[in-house]
Amino acid sequence: MEKRRSKILYVDHKFCPGCGHGIVNRLVAEVLEEMGEEKGAICAVAVGCSSLMPDTYGVDIVQSQHGRAAAVAVGIKRCRPENMVFSYQGDGDALAIGFSETMYAAIRNENITVILINNNNFGMTGGQMSPTTLENQRTTTSPYGRDVTLTGNPLDVMKLMGTLDVAYLARGTMTDIKEITKTKKYIRKAFEAQKNKLGYSLVEVLSPCPTNWGMTPLNACKHISQVVQTVYPLGEFKGGGK
Amino acid sequence: MTRKLMKGNDAIAEAAIRGGCRFFAGYPITPQSEILEYLSWRMPEVGGVFIQTESEISGISMVYGAAATGARAFTSSSGPGFSLMQEGISYIASAELPCVVVDVQRYGSGLADIFTGQGDYWQAVKNGGHGDYRCLVYAPNSVQETVDLMVSAFDKAEEYRNPVLILTDASIAQMMEPVEFPELKNHNQDALPWAMNGAGDGQNKRHTSIMYYNLDYDNYLKNKYDKIAEKEQQWEEIQTEDAELVLVAYGISSRICAEVVEMARKEGLMVGLIRPITLYPFPIKAFEKLEKVKYFASVEMSCLSQMIEDVVMASKCRPTYPIRGGMKVYEAEEILSAVKDIFAGNAKEVY
Amino acid sequence: MEKLIIHRESCKGCQYCIANCPKSALTMTGPINSAGYMTTEVDGDKCITCGICYNVCPDYVYEILEEEAKA
């Protein structure tokens, strides 16, 4: 069976070697194409490494303010209700500065899909601590390791949204072919929920950040499997059904 | 066409609908919450979208998203909420998308008070947001004018692909005056070349700062705003032809100043009034022909006198005096007394 | 007859493909590309064109095409 590069990925991106963005960009493109929804898709892209996407990702894209991509996506979806509308955000964007917009899109059960790339730091700005930085993880703003007595515990958006009436919540990763296959299924289910007008869907993808973690890509993936997943377990948290 | 008595805020809301707007996202704040309350039932009537957001930041962000799809979208706020919207306005201007933002000014900084003021001039006219951009800024002084400017604001926003601000104040937004509306207009969001509806079979669109893709950005932007400055100045003049002293006032202050001109003339004082209707572009053309005027006085409900700097520039640094209001609405007699001080040489120029 | 195509100029040397290839058909022995990254080579005898490399690659280096088709 032929496997060709998606037309949406029309030019090479500038993500770092081994970055999860590259894979998730492809998975979203494949899902949209397989669903026949790629021609109408509109993306609200966040500030962060996602800001590289307007140059390389072939769907309609609106560059949102830092943290506000979910709200921008809501504005788009309310005016284009038949199009697949999604926000594409990082952990810092969606859960620090954008926490309110992220939560309220879910509280209102807005019919959008949120793709949340979680690499436990603010990547684009050089690796500062983010809401999902692990306890004791060293970052440029937690040089002695994250002290949870000072900074609070890492935030688990699945737990927070678990109390809300939303359509679909899932967390995947992309550390090997098995996980990538599962994550693609989650992304597909999320967009199906939107297409069926069931409401809000969120797929969080644990992603390596080899550059800021100071690891090779393969070791960064090992770190996710062995460490990050123990804090952020994978699976479907709502709407998984059968 | 029937005239009806209507509150300013309600008229703003209805005017937006008449102008083809079908998207509002905003947050309650005194003295403009009636705009939300009105639209919460009126928008559904016309099949539009009304969202009470969790914050003003979310509101302006939703307006950005709506504008990207070609919709006519607006939001409204007052001082503190207007401050929160500034980043969003900068983004919308930067992406060259249209929208309308209404600021119903209240008096003061910080939490401020809820009665009328004119202390957001700097923020609205000189950019509350970061970077180089301008917003077209309209300052109505009656409920009818608010309606007329609100309706045309959506057209201007699309013509220039730029945010348009309506800088009104609590008194004009809360007062009730007779008002006539134009016919209900419907807007075709697909007719606009920037309207996003998915890439289809063609190249995808992206709405982000045009700076990244325009190789001659600096000149392009300067030319854009020079064109607006040349074409869009609007003002009203009262008895300026033979005036020796010209009052400059907008919004609620201008209504009192119109009375002051009458009173001054009865006493033989040659006083006139320039009422800017656009604050950006400031109506410098109104000043250019008034070569014989000796004094200008900027009358604003702002204790630091924000508009006066533009008056000084427009008059090319002729003697300009602040007549400062602030925590109270002026009495016409107070302004007249200040005018007499200027004539008598007892007043202090602004610089 | 399917063939694995390697777009070496897109490769950033992360080695996800090598780690996930079930047949160990990929090795990091290709030429260094113009961005300075080491790239891969495929052993045609071992490769079964399963497409796993295509699925794990963050940079869309791999395509599987019918032999006649030019990439």
Side-chain angles (χ1 to χ4, degrees):
Chain A
M1 192 180 68
E2 281 203 337
K3 282 191 170 304
R4 288 180 181 266
R5 179 165 166 162
S6 163
K7 287 203 180 65
I8 290 175
L9 310 167
Y10 67 96
V11 67
D12 284 357
H13 59 66
K14 291 193 166 63
F15 299 121
C16 295
C19 174
H21 273 300
I23 295 176
V24 181
N25 273 12
R26 194 196 71 234
L27 295 181
V28 173
E30 287 172 358
V31 164
L32 289 171
E33 284 171 341
E34 286 159 16
M35 290 173 71
E37 294 289 347
E38 78 280 12
K39 291 189 183 176
I42 307 177
C43 173
V45 92
V47 168
C49 296
S50 333
S51 300
L52 296 171
M53 283 167 66
D55 279 345
T56 61
Y57 204 70
V59 300
D60 279 355
I61 294 193
V62 182
Q63 173 66 70
S64 314
Q65 310 97 292
H66 194 23
R68 321 298 172 200
V72 175
V74 168
I76 297 170
K77 181 72 180 184
R78 294 292 197 110
C79 294
R80 293 287 185 197
E82 300 308 315
N83 298 43
M84 288 294 107
V85 177
F86 61 107
S87 74
Y88 191 104
Q89 310 177 248
D91 47 284
D93 187 278
L95 299 176
I97 183 169
F99 186 78
S100 176
E101 287 76 18
T102 299
M103 290 306 294
Y104 266 87
I107 289 168
R108 281 195 298 272
N109 201 23
E110 297 278 357
N111 201 27
I112 60 168
T113 300
V114 173
I115 306 288
L116 203 170
I117 309 297
N118 182 1
N119 59 11
N120 315 100
N121 77 130
F122 278 99
M124 177 55 95
T125 43
Q128 294 80 26
M129 189 181 82
S130 86
T132 58
T133 295
L134 304 182
E135 184 175 4
N136 299 323
Q137 180 182 338
R138 284 175 200 268
T139 66
T140 59
T141 51
S142 59
Y144 312 115
R146 179 174 186 169
D147 179 349
V148 299
T149 63
L150 290 177
T151 67
N153 283 297
L155 207 60
D156 186 334
V157 71
M158 296 296 153
K159 287 203 186 118
L160 289 171
M161 288 199 182
T163 63
L164 302 177
D165 193 11
V166 297
Y168 185 76
L169 299 172
R171 178 185 289 125
T173 185
M174 30 60 58
T175 48
D176 60 34
I177 184 61
K178 280 208 199 77
E179 296 300 342
I180 290 174
T181 308
K182 271 194 241 162
T183 299
K184 181 170 173 179
K185 286 205 182 81
Y186 297 157
I187 294 174
R188 173 77 188 233
K189 280 172 136 177
F191 279 105
E192 295 280 2
Q194 183 180 158
K195 189 163 182 170
N196 295 329
K197 302 194 194 313
L198 299 176
Y200 179 91
S201 54
L202 164 68
V203 179
E204 179 187 337
V205 184
L206 301 180
S207 172
C209 183
T211 304
N212 289 318
W213 292 357
M215 302 175 184
T216 65
L218 286 172
N219 284 342
C221 287
K222 271 205 203 92
H223 176 73
I224 293 178
S225 309
Q226 291 165 1
V227 180
V228 182
Q229 273 176 231
T230 62
V231 177
Y232 291 110
L234 308 177
E236 291 171 304
F237 293 84
K238 195 160 268 227
K242 45 195 178 337
Chain B
M1 197 117 40
T2 45
R3 276 158 71 82
K4 49 194 284 203
L5 203 59
M6 212 172 194
K7 189 191 249 255
N9 277 334
D10 293 350
I12 288 172
E14 181 64 30
I17 302 278
R18 299 292 175 120
C21 174
R22 298 291 181 269
F23 187 95
F24 175 88
Y27 190 81
I29 181 171
T30 310
Q32 58 87 60
S33 302
E34 289 91 346
I35 297 176
L36 273 82
E37 291 165 7
Y38 188 96
L39 289 171
S40 68
W41 60 264
R42 184 68 170 120
M43 267 295 185
E45 275 186 357
V46 293
V49 176
F50 166 81
I51 305 177
Q52 180 182 319
T53 53
E54 61 276 21
S55 75
E56 289 87 347
I57 295 176
S58 177
I60 191 72
S61 305
M62 291 188 190
V63 164
Y64 180 22
T69 70
R72 289 197 160 184
F74 96 100
T75 184
S76 64
S77 194
S78 185
F82 186 56
S83 294
L84 290 177
M85 293 183 175
Q86 298 307 314
E87 187 200 19
I89 294 172
S90 176
Y91 267 74
I92 296 172
S94 181
E96 290 206 300
L97 288 173
C99 73
V100 175
V101 179
V102 176
D103 177 17
V104 181
Q105 294 177 93
R106 63 196 220 176
Y107 184 77
S109 54
L111 181 57
D113 208 317
I114 58 173
F115 64 80
T116 201
Q118 292 183 313
D120 294 352
Y121 181 95
W122 280 329
Q123 188 181 35
V125 178
K126 305 295 175 179
N127 285 8
H130 57 286
D132 281 317
Y133 70 96
R134 305 304 296 259
C135 290
L136 209 51
V137 183
Y138 290 109
N141 82 340
S142 69
V143 179
Q144 181 65 61
E145 191 170 51
T146 308
V147 168
D148 299 337
L149 290 173
M150 192 67 191
V151 170
S152 75
F154 291 98
D155 296 327
K156 289 291 174 190
E158 284 172 10
E159 182 184 340
Y160 292 110
R161 295 186 63 166
N162 207 78
V164 173
L165 307 184
I166 307 286
L167 192 67
T168 177
D169 58 64
S171 37
I172 297 174
Q174 292 290 330
M175 65 172 60
M176 294 188 75
E177 290 189 317
V179 65
E180 258 180 83
F181 289 100
E183 290 299 312
L184 188 69
K185 203 196 306 189
N186 284 315
H187 169 70
N188 178 7
Q189 73 182 95
D190 292 312
L192 298 165
W194 62 80
M196 274 184 174
N197 193 11
D201 292 311
Q203 181 67 43
N204 63 312
K205 294 191 179 72
R206 53 189 171 198
H207 287 311
T208 178
S209 176
I210 59 161
M211 182 174 88
Y212 303 134
Y213 309 111
N214 186 326
L215 296 174
D216 195 27
Y217 173 74
D218 291 338
N219 288 326
Y220 171 83
L221 209 64
K222 179 81 173 58
N223 290 338
K224 171 176 174 163
Y225 292 115
D226 281 349
K227 186 165 140 211
I228 293 175
E230 174 54 38
K231 287 183 63 186
E232 297 299 328
Q233 295 178 36
Q234 279 186 55
W235 69 93
E236 184 190 1
E237 291 178 69
I238 297 178
Q239 300 203 61
T240 53
E241 310 78 18
D242 59 348
E244 286 178 7
L245 183 151
V246 169
L247 300 168
V248 185
Y250 72 95
I252 187 67
S253 303
S254 66
R255 290 171 74 131
I256 304 163
C257 285
E259 198 188 330
V260 173
V261 169
E262 296 272 323
M263 291 162 68
R265 290 279 174 168
K266 282 206 183 81
E267 295 189 31
L269 299 170
M270 311 298 277
V271 175
L273 167 65
I274 291 175
R275 178 174 80 85
I277 299 174
T278 53
L279 298 175
Y280 180 81
F282 198 73
I284 53 176
K285 290 182 186 171
F287 293 75
E288 278 161 8
K289 45 193 181 58
L290 301 178
E291 294 155 7
K292 300 197 196 79
V293 172
K294 290 198 210 139
Y295 314 104
F296 288 93
S298 181
V299 185
E300 319 167 53
M301 288 194 62
S302 146
C303 58
L304 295 185
S305 301
Q306 299 187 3
M307 183 177 63
I308 198 168
E309 297 168 353
D310 285 333
V311 176
V312 170
M313 280 210 292
S315 73
K316 302 221 169 99
C317 296
R318 275 178 279 174
T320 308
Y321 299 82
I323 297 184
R324 297 160 53 243
M327 289 183 57
K328 58 177 175 55
V329 183
Y330 307 96
E331 297 284 350
E333 288 80 9
E334 292 170 304
I335 299 177
L336 184 59
S337 168
V339 164
K340 287 175 180 166
D341 279 343
I342 296 170
F343 275 122
N346 295 335
K348 190 170 169 304
E349 285 180 56
V350 64
Y351 298 124
Chain C
M1 187 57 203
E2 288 173 345
K3 188 171 146 82
L4 184 70
I5 310 291
I6 306 178
H7 298 288
R8 291 203 172 83
E9 280 300 302
S10 300
C11 180
K12 291 179 188 147
C14 71
Q15 302 197 31
Y16 288 168
C17 52
I18 293 173
N20 282 277
C21 176
K23 295 294 174 186
S24 304
L26 292 164
T27 47
M28 208 74 184
T29 49
I32 294 181
N33 64 18
S34 57
Y37 292 108
M38 293 169 61
T39 65
T40 55
E41 272 186 324
V42 61
D43 182 340
D45 292 330
K46 291 184 180 163
C47 176
I48 57 169
T49 57
C50 65
I52 284 178
C53 53
Y54 169 96
N55 277 313
V56 301
C57 176
D59 294 286
Y60 329 131
V61 170
Y62 296 101
E63 282 188 303
I64 294 171
L65 303 173
E66 290 301 328
E67 191 79 56
E68 302 79 50
K70 295 282 187 249

